[in-house]
Amino acid sequence: MGANTSQVSDLSENPSLKSLVGTVSISENDPFWNQLISFTFISPTSSGDSKLLEEAVIPLAKTLIENNPRSGNFGALVRIFLGRTKELKISTECQDQLFIWQAHNALFMIRCLLKVFIREMSEEELHLQFSYQERAPGSCGETGKQDLLEELLSNLVHLIVEVPLLDITYSILFEAVTTLLVFFSYQLFHKDILRDGLIYQHVMKGRCLSLTSRLVKTLLYNFIRQEKCPPPATHIFEPKDEGGLLYGLASGVASGLWSVFTLGGAGSKPGIDQEHNPLPLSNQSLLLLLVLANLTDGPDWPNPYRQAITCFRNTQDTSSLPVEQPHAFQINFNSLYTALCEQQRSDQATLLLYTLLHQNANMRTYMLSRTDMDNLVLPILEILYHVEDRNSHHVYMALIILLILTEDDSFNRSIHEVVLKNVTWYTERTLTEISLGSLLILVVIRTIQFNMTRTRDKYLHTNCLAALANMSAQFRCLHQYAAQRIISLFALLSKKHNKVLEQATQSLRGRQGDNEALPDYAQDLNVIEEVIRMMLEIINSCLCSSLHHNPNLVYALLYKRELFEQFRTHPSFQDIMQNLDTVIGFFSQRLEQAGSDLSVERVQEVIMKGAQALPKDRLKMFPELKFKYVEEDQPEDFFIPYVWSLVFNSGVGLHWSPHGIELFSMDSG
């Protein structure tokens, strides 16, 4: 900044910024403001650049905090921005790039200062920073009647919903979304979930309330459009054939402040920041949407943004609602579905998918009716497959999504009808042709095995097994490898069961009646036996419902029949083992009758014929396995720390070190 400023480290020495943060009040009519907000700067879109900028702004912001009660210059800067927002939509229609450029710069400065303000003071103290007015030395200041804080919040929401997304408006829309995130970031400095406060009140009940549905819809469309950040607008400083006004103004004032110093633009390696975050507006819009959706309900009012997310409908849905729902709107479901399928590599897109599946019945019905469900399921399976590289929360979200999907029987049937060719990311074995259902089983079983050897998380086990259980009655034409992995998992559980049982026995003998260590072993044994019971029920459900559709599972069961011997007389498994004994005995007898030294093809032929001949009444029927995801099973405000960890890790706009909320302490138990 300044005539010779080209480095972030020089900001503190810039004379114009010194005047802004100084003790002298600057009238809103002073030409100083026009010069102040006329600079060339590209907002940082990477964590490293954001941190550099913040470190340079902190000393300036602290000086302003000290002097603003006397000068009121921060409030003046806010009013300068608000004055320009009134004409912003018209400026966009007229392609008035200079006007948009200056409005963006003013908001960018406000956002940078707010970050430090929020870290340094309470909401009440922040409100005072907006209230201070310029005054003559020695006179008593009076608080203005206008609530400048609420005015700014309201204008930011209006800006987001009313200004169209174009190349020339991309940056200011990004700043508006990010500034709202900064306002909400008080949560980062509190261990307890915030349920009240000035900003919360303004957004939930103030002037912003009437724009709830439009804001949610706009943020969703920002996510859907996935617009890349346009290239640096260096053309603003090039002479135009049609007239030189823009060039003359820009070139005349740009040298007076932050002269063409950029982060992620001119002067840095091309494309670096775009590679880090090529879709900053889409990403920030999604983060803001998740923050709004997870604001806590008030004592007497529900969260309106969650209501909007819960009830929006497809633009093609022309039916009338029996009861008008608050904050309802319509959006193109096909476009939203496509964006969700393409963006599942990010935690926030997976969390949005979970939110819509779990809370919006219209969207869930639409997704389950799609004939290209593989486009959605495959990215979820890939998340689970690369479990070693994903954080635990992302894995949980993926599993919960599968659990919700498997609650639907039509989904469980249809995934076995979708045949996939050459799943390249599955590297354990070459899968040239496999059904989506069999692949899902393989990935879930792999996740269980990873959890058994690494994280040992009971919650993860529960979700995996629940998804398999929901699918089990609809297993169809299981791939040979999928059938083998089901039995291999049972073998692993059996081995683990025997090991823990042996350890418990040895401990009991070694202590000669002292059973202090037994509760730990008993608990481990109980957990393993619960999982074994569930696996037996899954196998049994498949055999009872669709044995004739799954010869490969019967083959794998017969090949490893000795695994089940030890559980035949176990009191916890006797009932469920009756059906397995019946199936194993029936097919073993038919194979003996077929002769010895049978080829694999001949064994499979015998199994397929036997499956048609086995009377169904010989198998004891058990209650249908059905598990439903219930959000109430989670602790209250379960997702708030998770959402804020995503905001914090985005690095854009919020790169400070929090000392309040525990971002990674989400209880998964």
Side-chain angles (χ1 to χ4, degrees), residues 384-385 387-388 428 442-450:
L384 296 177
Y385 186 78
V387 60
E388 301 94 336
E428 266 94 337
L442 285 175
V443 173
V444 171
I445 287 176
R446 184 180 184 275
T447 305
I448 294 174
Q449 291 179 323
F450 174 83

Side-chain angles (χ1 to χ4, degrees), residues 14-26 32-33 36 64 71 73:
N14 181 269
S16 296
L17 291 179
K18 281 186 174 182
S19 297
L20 173 67
V21 305
T23 57
V24 178
S25 296
I26 306 172
F32 165 85
W33 295 106
L36 179 71
L64 182 59
S71 71
N73 285 342

Side-chain angles (χ1 to χ4, degrees), residues 51 58 63 69 139 150 165 201 255 308 393 420 442 455 462 501 504 511 542 562:
K51 186 175 182 180
I58 286 175
T63 302
S139 64
E150 182 176 18
L165 175 54
Q201 294 285 338
S255 61
H393 308 329
L420 307 170
L442 285 175
T455 57
T462 301
L501 188 61
R511 289 180 176 271
C542 176
E562 70 280 356

Side-chain angles (χ1 to χ4, degrees), residues 148 194 204 311 467 523 531:
L148 203 57
L194 295 181
M204 292 287 243
C311 67
Q523 184 177 7
V531 176

Side-chain angles (χ1 to χ4, degrees), residues 37-87:
I37 61 176
S38 298
F39 58 85
T40 55
F41 184 86
I42 298 173
S43 300
T45 57
S46 74
S47 178
D49 285 348
S50 295
K51 186 175 182 180
L52 285 174
L53 177 62
E54 181 187 331
E55 290 172 349
V57 170
I58 286 175
L60 291 166
K62 287 185 175 181
T63 302
L64 182 59
I65 291 172
E66 182 179 346
N67 295 330
N68 192 50
R70 293 189 295 277
S71 71
N73 285 342
F74 178 71
L77 174 62
V78 172
R79 283 187 288 273
I80 292 294
F81 167 71
L82 294 178
R84 278 163 169 73
T85 59
K86 294 175 183 177
E87 306 296 332

Side-chain angles (χ1 to χ4, degrees), residues 1 42 104 126 359 370 418:
M1 300 184 223
I42 298 173
H104 162 269
L126 176 69
Q359 298 183 8
R370 296 282 302 204
V418 178

